[in-house]
Amino acid sequence: MSSEALTTPARHVRRSRAGILTLALRDLRGGLKGFYVFVACVALGVAVIAAVGGLAASMRDGVVRQGGLLLGGDVRLSRPHHRMTPAERAWLQSGGRVSEMATMRAIARRPDGSEQALVEIKAVDEAYPLVGELVLSSGRAGSGTGTGSVRAAGGAIVDPILLERLGLKVGDRIALGALELPVTAALVSEPDKLTDRLTFGPRVLISLQNLEKTGLVKPGSLVRWRYSVKLAGASQAPSDKALDAFRVALDKALPAAGFVVRDRRDPAPSVTRTLDRLREFLTLIGLASLIVGGVGVANAVTTFVDRRRKVIATLKSVGATGRTVFAIYLTEVMLIAGIGVLIGLALGSALPIGVVALLGDAMPLRPEVTVSPLALALAAAYGLLVALLFVLWPLGRAERVRPAVLFREEVAPESRWPRPRVVVAVIATALALAALAVLTSDSRRIAIYFIAALAALVVVFSTLGWLVTVLSRKIPRPRKPMLALAFANLGAPGGLTRAVVLSLGAGLTLLVAVSLVDASLVAEFTTRLPKQSPNYFVLDISKTDRQGFVDLVRRTAPGVEVHEAPMLRGRLVSLKGVPVERLKPPPEAQWVLNGDRGLSYSETVPEGSKVVTGAWWPKDYQGEPLVSFEAELARKLGVGLGDKVTVNVLGRNVTARIANLREVKWESLAINFVMVFSPNTLRSAPYSVLATLTLPSTAPVADEARLARVISRAYPSVTAIRVRDVINAFSGVFAKVMLAVKVAGGVTLLAGALVLAGALATSQRRRLQLAVILKTLGASRRQILTLHMIEYLLLAGVTAIIAVLLGGLAAWVALTQVMDVEPTFTARAVLEALGVSLALVLAFGGLGTWRVLQARPVPYLRSE
């Protein structure tokens, strides 16, 4: 924009907002040169937030819209151990069609006993599935006919992976408990799988009649009974009013039945909670990339102001006030930010469509892609607030600079703080941004920690970047010319130091922290397990078989250690007289209130536990029911000594008083429970026995396998779970989660790379001038390249060192203060930071150096 174009309207600009907008738009006619990184930084962060919000909303909408399919009906009732009574069934059938099913763990074997595997049995009746289709290798089985072939042949439908593990094929026979069944088909998909509890093995689908013949269901066996209901008179989805009326009637008719009730409006709370947590985490990652990209925004605005020095000077010389100048350029850069936001929203809206198209079939539930106005509005708000936060300061400084100073060269900058109102606006924008992040998060405590850590990173890296610049100017120059010039460049005005340290440092810090947390957790779950951990957890040992089982194990494996405890399943109904449905515990404690929990009783303190508050009951105690509660969960749930806890066991509510709180070392792998009752409370209830088997450390793996085969043959209803297999399965899932976290953290690093590209572009002219001067003085291309590489290596090294220190500190805080895990330092995280830092700086720096070496000297030696 020329000074002549601004002189005429300068007076009325002060009184006209339309005039300010006109001048801003007129200046934008020259294009977005110098603002490409600005737009890219804003668009990247907005796209991440919009895409995450849109995909999460699509998944949630898919869960809600397909609620009936996921539940297998309009309503589902479930409870452990206790099958529905005839009276309960009659009442339920009066409200609609009912399908009954049972799930439990068991050991599936080849008939000759040569191979065996842990499986998840699902026994169903002839009505299953009420909604949806069961897909088999032989074709689709429609609603209500899913198990007809199973019942007719008396066979089993199994997961294909089980056939592979046992070396079987369709038509062969498989042993479950005391029963052998033919494999009639391979299972492709079941409509209600997503709402099932976590499975520990491949699925085996049989009829309820065959489940009874297996002999697996005994008093105390870990069986979960479920009942899907298709409400009468609801040809399609029933209304919210009808669903609420059914639940009210159920509470009145069966008040102490102990059912966990879900309806089609929220068929899988664990799934929706997981989606919400994932959305929050990735949204915070997107916000981090926006904040890091904000450095690029600030750099672009600073460069923009520098290029407009003569225009700003002219405006002020003809009477324009600092506020007028500020308003014109604030309008202009926010319009450019709006372009970045629109691009980000477009990309963020398109990404879920691509994800669903590529991965939809691999997801447990195919999302229904929809446009989420709330997600788009949230992403736009984040983008505009971050842009505003980072443009206010450089524009505020330009407002304070005198016209005479604006004509000076870059080597004589004038650093002045913006006016108080601009400082207040910066603080208000930062607070608004933090408030938006906290208020839109379900876990506000985590959001507050994240925002505080992010703010600390920006402050620390900004300060360190300034310190590196100052120190580079003051330290004695090395004797080697190239090294001396490299240090001079690090401390030069408009250099790369601050931008690189701040932009790449934040992303690398996140990667180092994630790597160290990953290594520490892996060490916690592997190397820090007990030196002699159990070989097997054995479930579903009946009370009558208890002694015979122990004798068999000791005969088969001399020297084996056997630890055992009674086990039941029950659901928390109320704490301190308040129904659990009304409680709002922190997210990390919510799981205790969802579904049923393992319960036990004991005369003595369980191994691996220590009473920290209160006292254990005496042996042969016969007073009121007492319970021992895990201390950390008790604190999070707000209960303590003397409070009453009510659990539903086998359809009967049992109320006990908290007598003590225990600290439990879960990593010991000893038998432990959140709640352990006094023996007189649960001794008369049907229960099974849970045992751990620990072989001598010198015992070969073959002895483990032989012991498992002997147990499965003598006690077919018993389930032996190899501890190492569980740890390996968990490690596999954990590795995938940590990989996803690292990829998400890479988004922040990508934002830092964009900022680095912008910083190189900003300093390109000064570097070209220096290179031309060096060429004129006789420097070769090799020497110039060496100079730049030294500078880039110094920057990469400083950035990586800072990232390692701060990433280590962040990991230490997360591990010790949040996860209660002992930190483990690994050189891999350090090498990753060094490698990534070096690669990015050299890649972008090499590109910039190539452009410098291609430049012709004459244009840059002319006087402007």
Side-chain angles (χ1 to χ4, degrees), residues 279-280 284 436-447:
R279 173 189 58 80
E280 290 173 16
L284 291 174
L436 181 64
V438 172
L439 294 176
T440 55
S441 174
D442 291 337
S443 181
R444 295 183 178 179
R445 182 173 66 91
I446 294 177

Side-chain angles (χ1 to χ4, degrees), residues 27 42 53 55 91 268 271 300 351 381 389 400 516 591 600 608 611 613 630 659 665 689 759 765 789 801 832 862:
D27 199 24
V42 173
L55 188 59
W91 184 91
V271 173
L351 281 174
L389 176 65
R400 294 294 304 272
L516 289 175
W591 64 272
S600 185
V611 175
T613 306
E630 200 274 330
K665 294 183 178 180
V689 176
R765 182 171 181 80
M789 289 301 104
I801 290 171
E832 283 181 358
R862 291 173 180 170

Side-chain angles (χ1 to χ4, degrees), residues 472-473 475-478 482-492 787 794:
S472 298
R473 295 172 183 172
I475 61 174
R477 292 289 180 261
M482 291 297 104
L483 194 58
L485 283 173
F487 276 103
N489 283 344
L490 290 179
L787 167 63
L794 290 173

Side-chain angles (χ1 to χ4, degrees), residues 224-254:
R224 187 163 189 84
W225 297 92
R226 301 185 310 179
Y227 302 87
S228 297
V229 183
K230 183 69 177 173
L231 297 184
S235 56
Q236 299 297 326
S239 64
D240 290 349
K241 184 178 180 180
L243 292 171
D244 290 336
F246 176 85
R247 298 184 75 146
V248 170
L250 176 65
D251 289 339
K252 290 182 179 179
L254 307 172

Side-chain angles (χ1 to χ4, degrees), residues 273 277 442-446 583-594 632-638:
R273 280 193 302 273
R277 296 292 179 270
D442 291 337
S443 181
R444 295 183 178 179
R445 182 173 66 91
I446 294 177
L583 299 176
K584 299 294 182 183
E588 58 270 23
Q590 180 67 46
W591 64 272
V592 183
L593 308 181
N594 299 328
E632 183 66 17
L633 282 171
R635 182 183 63 80
K636 292 176 179 178
L637 293 173

Side-chain angles (χ1 to χ4, degrees), residues 87-110:
E88 291 170 336
R89 179 186 292 275
W91 184 91
L92 203 60
Q93 289 176 333
S94 67
R97 296 173 57 211
V98 179
S99 173
E100 181 183 35
M101 66 200 78
T103 57
M104 68 180 302
R105 289 182 292 267
I107 296 294
R109 312 182 309 279
R110 289 175 60 94

